[in-house]
PDB file of all heavy atoms in Angstrom:
ATOM      1  N   PRO A  68     -13.100  -2.270  -6.351  1.00  0.00           N
ATOM      2  CA  PRO A  68     -12.966  -2.075  -4.897  1.00  0.00           C
ATOM      3  C   PRO A  68     -11.527  -2.287  -4.458  1.00  0.00           C
ATOM      4  O   PRO A  68     -10.791  -3.088  -5.051  1.00  0.00           O
ATOM      5  CB  PRO A  68     -13.891  -3.147  -4.312  1.00  0.00           C
ATOM      6  CG  PRO A  68     -13.962  -4.207  -5.365  1.00  0.00           C
ATOM      7  CD  PRO A  68     -13.831  -3.504  -6.683  1.00  0.00           C
ATOM      8  N   MET A  69     -11.117  -1.566  -3.418  1.00  0.00           N
ATOM      9  CA  MET A  69      -9.783  -1.746  -2.861  1.00  0.00           C
ATOM     10  C   MET A  69      -9.727  -3.045  -2.067  1.00  0.00           C
ATOM     11  O   MET A  69     -10.748  -3.599  -1.652  1.00  0.00           O
ATOM     12  CB  MET A  69      -9.424  -0.559  -1.961  1.00  0.00           C
ATOM     13  CG  MET A  69      -9.313   0.764  -2.696  1.00  0.00           C
ATOM     14  SD  MET A  69      -8.905   2.130  -1.585  1.00  0.00           S
ATOM     15  CE  MET A  69      -7.239   1.675  -1.093  1.00  0.00           C
ATOM     16  N   ASP A  70      -8.521  -3.518  -1.842  1.00  0.00           N
ATOM     17  CA  ASP A  70      -8.314  -4.729  -1.053  1.00  0.00           C
ATOM     18  C   ASP A  70      -8.826  -4.491   0.366  1.00  0.00           C
ATOM     19  O   ASP A  70      -8.333  -3.608   1.070  1.00  0.00           O
ATOM     20  CB  ASP A  70      -6.819  -5.062  -1.025  1.00  0.00           C
ATOM     21  CG  ASP A  70      -6.536  -6.405  -0.354  1.00  0.00           C
ATOM     22  OD1 ASP A  70      -7.399  -6.882   0.408  1.00  0.00           O
ATOM     23  OD2 ASP A  70      -5.455  -6.967  -0.591  1.00  0.00           O
ATOM     24  N   PRO A  71      -9.814  -5.246   0.836  1.00  0.00           N
ATOM     25  CA  PRO A  71     -10.399  -4.991   2.167  1.00  0.00           C
ATOM     26  C   PRO A  71      -9.447  -5.269   3.321  1.00  0.00           C
ATOM     27  O   PRO A  71      -9.716  -4.886   4.455  1.00  0.00           O
ATOM     28  CB  PRO A  71     -11.600  -5.941   2.207  1.00  0.00           C
ATOM     29  CG  PRO A  71     -11.250  -7.029   1.254  1.00  0.00           C
ATOM     30  CD  PRO A  71     -10.464  -6.372   0.154  1.00  0.00           C
ATOM     31  N   HIS A  72      -8.309  -5.936   3.055  1.00  0.00           N
ATOM     32  CA  HIS A  72      -7.366  -6.265   4.128  1.00  0.00           C
ATOM     33  C   HIS A  72      -6.300  -5.188   4.309  1.00  0.00           C
ATOM     34  O   HIS A  72      -5.435  -5.304   5.164  1.00  0.00           O
ATOM     35  CB  HIS A  72      -6.697  -7.606   3.834  1.00  0.00           C
ATOM     36  CG  HIS A  72      -7.672  -8.733   3.685  1.00  0.00           C
ATOM     37  ND1 HIS A  72      -8.429  -9.202   4.736  1.00  0.00           N
ATOM     38  CD2 HIS A  72      -8.043  -9.452   2.593  1.00  0.00           C
ATOM     39  CE1 HIS A  72      -9.212 -10.188   4.307  1.00  0.00           C
ATOM     40  NE2 HIS A  72      -9.002 -10.352   3.009  1.00  0.00           N
ATOM     41  N   ILE A  73      -6.369  -4.137   3.482  1.00  0.00           N
ATOM     42  CA  ILE A  73      -5.367  -3.075   3.555  1.00  0.00           C
ATOM     43  C   ILE A  73      -5.771  -2.044   4.593  1.00  0.00           C
ATOM     44  O   ILE A  73      -6.898  -1.587   4.634  1.00  0.00           O
ATOM     45  CB  ILE A  73      -5.206  -2.378   2.185  1.00  0.00           C
ATOM     46  CG1 ILE A  73      -4.561  -3.343   1.191  1.00  0.00           C
ATOM     47  CG2 ILE A  73      -4.375  -1.104   2.311  1.00  0.00           C
ATOM     48  CD1 ILE A  73      -4.474  -2.795  -0.201  1.00  0.00           C
ATOM     49  N   ASN A  74      -4.831  -1.695   5.445  1.00  0.00           N
ATOM     50  CA  ASN A  74      -5.006  -0.569   6.358  1.00  0.00           C
ATOM     51  C   ASN A  74      -3.727   0.247   6.335  1.00  0.00           C
ATOM     52  O   ASN A  74      -2.635  -0.303   6.331  1.00  0.00           O
ATOM     53  CB  ASN A  74      -5.284  -1.030   7.792  1.00  0.00           C
ATOM     54  CG  ASN A  74      -6.709  -1.522   7.955  1.00  0.00           C
ATOM     55  OD1 ASN A  74      -7.642  -0.749   7.851  1.00  0.00           O
ATOM     56  ND2 ASN A  74      -6.865  -2.817   8.192  1.00  0.00           N
ATOM     57  N   ASN A  75      -3.849   1.536   6.306  1.00  0.00           N
ATOM     58  CA  ASN A  75      -2.678   2.395   6.258  1.00  0.00           C
ATOM     59  C   ASN A  75      -2.946   3.626   7.116  1.00  0.00           C
ATOM     60  O   ASN A  75      -3.690   4.512   6.729  1.00  0.00           O
ATOM     61  CB  ASN A  75      -2.382   2.815   4.809  1.00  0.00           C
ATOM     62  CG  ASN A  75      -1.038   3.500   4.697  1.00  0.00           C
ATOM     63  OD1 ASN A  75      -0.679   4.307   5.537  1.00  0.00           O
ATOM     64  ND2 ASN A  75      -0.297   3.173   3.652  1.00  0.00           N
ATOM     65  N   LYS A  76      -2.351   3.660   8.295  1.00  0.00           N
ATOM     66  CA  LYS A  76      -2.593   4.772   9.212  1.00  0.00           C
ATOM     67  C   LYS A  76      -2.038   6.074   8.667  1.00  0.00           C
ATOM     68  O   LYS A  76      -2.605   7.143   8.870  1.00  0.00           O
ATOM     69  CB  LYS A  76      -1.978   4.462  10.573  1.00  0.00           C
ATOM     70  CG  LYS A  76      -2.656   3.305  11.290  1.00  0.00           C
ATOM     71  CD  LYS A  76      -2.024   3.059  12.645  1.00  0.00           C
ATOM     72  CE  LYS A  76      -2.706   1.887  13.355  1.00  0.00           C
ATOM     73  NZ  LYS A  76      -2.088   1.617  14.669  1.00  0.00           N
ATOM     74  N   ASP A  77      -0.889   5.994   7.963  1.00  0.00           N
ATOM     75  CA  ASP A  77      -0.298   7.211   7.411  1.00  0.00           C
ATOM     76  C   ASP A  77      -1.213   7.840   6.372  1.00  0.00           C
ATOM     77  O   ASP A  77      -1.294   9.051   6.229  1.00  0.00           O
ATOM     78  CB  ASP A  77       1.064   6.907   6.768  1.00  0.00           C
ATOM     79  CG  ASP A  77       2.094   6.511   7.809  1.00  0.00           C
ATOM     80  OD1 ASP A  77       2.100   7.142   8.874  1.00  0.00           O
ATOM     81  OD2 ASP A  77       2.868   5.579   7.555  1.00  0.00           O
ATOM     82  N   ALA A  78      -1.905   6.990   5.611  1.00  0.00           N
ATOM     83  CA  ALA A  78      -2.808   7.498   4.580  1.00  0.00           C
ATOM     84  C   ALA A  78      -4.181   7.839   5.143  1.00  0.00           C
ATOM     85  O   ALA A  78      -5.024   8.363   4.443  1.00  0.00           O
ATOM     86  CB  ALA A  78      -2.962   6.468   3.468  1.00  0.00           C
ATOM     87  N   LYS A  79      -4.402   7.520   6.429  1.00  0.00           N
ATOM     88  CA  LYS A  79      -5.709   7.736   7.055  1.00  0.00           C
ATOM     89  C   LYS A  79      -6.788   6.936   6.327  1.00  0.00           C
ATOM     90  O   LYS A  79      -7.934   7.342   6.235  1.00  0.00           O
ATOM     91  CB  LYS A  79      -6.086   9.224   7.069  1.00  0.00           C
ATOM     92  CG  LYS A  79      -5.066  10.120   7.740  1.00  0.00           C
ATOM     93  CD  LYS A  79      -5.004   9.896   9.222  1.00  0.00           C
ATOM     94  CE  LYS A  79      -4.064  10.889   9.893  1.00  0.00           C
ATOM     95  NZ  LYS A  79      -3.900  10.634  11.318  1.00  0.00           N
ATOM     96  N   ILE A  80      -6.392   5.778   5.783  1.00  0.00           N
ATOM     97  CA  ILE A  80      -7.340   4.907   5.099  1.00  0.00           C
ATOM     98  C   ILE A  80      -7.563   3.684   5.972  1.00  0.00           C
ATOM     99  O   ILE A  80      -6.632   2.941   6.261  1.00  0.00           O
ATOM    100  CB  ILE A  80      -6.801   4.466   3.725  1.00  0.00           C
ATOM    101  CG1 ILE A  80      -6.624   5.670   2.814  1.00  0.00           C
ATOM    102  CG2 ILE A  80      -7.718   3.441   3.079  1.00  0.00           C
ATOM    103  CD1 ILE A  80      -7.907   6.326   2.395  1.00  0.00           C
ATOM    104  N   CYS A  81      -8.759   3.490   6.423  1.00  0.00           N
ATOM    105  CA  CYS A  81      -9.087   2.330   7.241  1.00  0.00           C
ATOM    106  C   CYS A  81     -10.322   1.665   6.649  1.00  0.00           C
ATOM    107  O   CYS A  81     -11.377   2.278   6.559  1.00  0.00           O
ATOM    108  CB  CYS A  81      -9.340   2.739   8.690  1.00  0.00           C
ATOM    109  SG  CYS A  81      -9.725   1.352   9.767  1.00  0.00           S
ATOM    110  N   LEU A  82     -10.162   0.422   6.219  1.00  0.00           N
ATOM    111  CA  LEU A  82     -11.261  -0.257   5.557  1.00  0.00           C
ATOM    112  C   LEU A  82     -12.077  -1.123   6.509  1.00  0.00           C
ATOM    113  O   LEU A  82     -13.033  -1.755   6.096  1.00  0.00           O
ATOM    114  CB  LEU A  82     -10.717  -1.125   4.410  1.00  0.00           C
ATOM    115  CG  LEU A  82      -9.897  -0.382   3.353  1.00  0.00           C
ATOM    116  CD1 LEU A  82      -9.524  -1.326   2.227  1.00  0.00           C
ATOM    117  CD2 LEU A  82     -10.666   0.790   2.796  1.00  0.00           C
ATOM    118  N   ASN A  83     -11.673  -1.175   7.775  1.00  0.00           N
ATOM    119  CA  ASN A  83     -12.445  -1.957   8.735  1.00  0.00           C
ATOM    120  C   ASN A  83     -13.721  -1.221   9.111  1.00  0.00           C
ATOM    121  O   ASN A  83     -13.707  -0.032   9.396  1.00  0.00           O
ATOM    122  CB  ASN A  83     -11.618  -2.222   9.999  1.00  0.00           C
ATOM    123  CG  ASN A  83     -10.512  -3.222   9.743  1.00  0.00           C
ATOM    124  OD1 ASN A  83     -10.634  -4.063   8.870  1.00  0.00           O
ATOM    125  ND2 ASN A  83      -9.430  -3.114  10.499  1.00  0.00           N
ATOM    126  N   ASN A  84     -14.804  -1.934   9.117  1.00  0.00           N
ATOM    127  CA  ASN A  84     -16.085  -1.357   9.500  1.00  0.00           C
ATOM    128  C   ASN A  84     -16.255  -1.506  11.011  1.00  0.00           C
ATOM    129  O   ASN A  84     -16.177  -2.617  11.537  1.00  0.00           O
ATOM    130  CB  ASN A  84     -17.216  -2.078   8.764  1.00  0.00           C
ATOM    131  CG  ASN A  84     -18.543  -1.362   8.906  1.00  0.00           C
ATOM    132  OD1 ASN A  84     -18.786  -0.696   9.907  1.00  0.00           O
ATOM    133  ND2 ASN A  84     -19.397  -1.504   7.907  1.00  0.00           N
TER     134      ASN A  84
END
Side-chain angles (χ1 to χ4, degrees):
M69 295 179 67
D70 187 340
H72 302 293
I73 291 175
N74 284 293
N75 190 318
K76 293 181 180 179
D77 292 319
K79 304 291 185 184
I80 297 292
C81 181
L82 303 185
N83 288 332
N84 191 331

